[in-house]
Amino acid sequence: MDKHLSHNEFLAGDYSIADIANWSWVRVHNFAGVDINDFPSLKRWLDLLEARPALARGAAIPHETNFNNPEKEMEAVESTKNMISK
């Protein structure tokens, strides 16, 4: 993805469902143990998508997560576990 995004603003030309679908798993890179700073084009793309108000609203459903904030990451993990086990 980083190589592709080094030559393209979005994954499939214009902003599309391809970006939304991939954003949903790329945005939790810290949770997966991936340092996004190792992938500058991917980071640029992620920052671009994170700035979109509709994606920010969608990410807060069912509750706001903090997967990319190391201090809050475990809190988000525990909250998700609690939500699943109910």
Side-chain angles (χ1 to χ4, degrees):
M1 286 179 74
D2 191 65
K3 183 177 179 180
H4 177 78
L5 289 167
S6 71
H7 302 289
N8 300 279
E9 186 174 20
F10 298 106
L11 292 174
D14 295 329
Y15 174 72
S16 70
I17 191 66
D19 297 291
I20 298 167
N22 285 281
W23 168 79
S24 66
W25 62 266
V26 172
R27 68 182 290 271
V28 297
H29 60 87
N30 278 339
F31 187 72
V34 176
D35 184 354
I36 196 83
N37 294 310
D38 293 339
F39 305 98
S41 298
L42 185 60
K43 182 173 182 345
R44 178 210 41 87
W45 172 83
L46 184 60
D47 290 344
L48 182 66
L49 268 62
E50 296 279 324
R52 298 182 73 89
L55 291 182
R57 287 191 307 273
I61 299 171
H63 57 82
E64 186 174 348
T65 60
N66 295 293
F67 289 118
N68 293 323
N69 180 335
E71 294 83 32
K72 297 283 189 173
E73 185 173 338
M74 289 312 297
E75 181 181 316
V77 170
E78 290 304 316
S79 175
T80 302
K81 284 181 185 176
N82 290 336
M83 181 181 65
I84 292 170
S85 66
K86 288 184 179 182

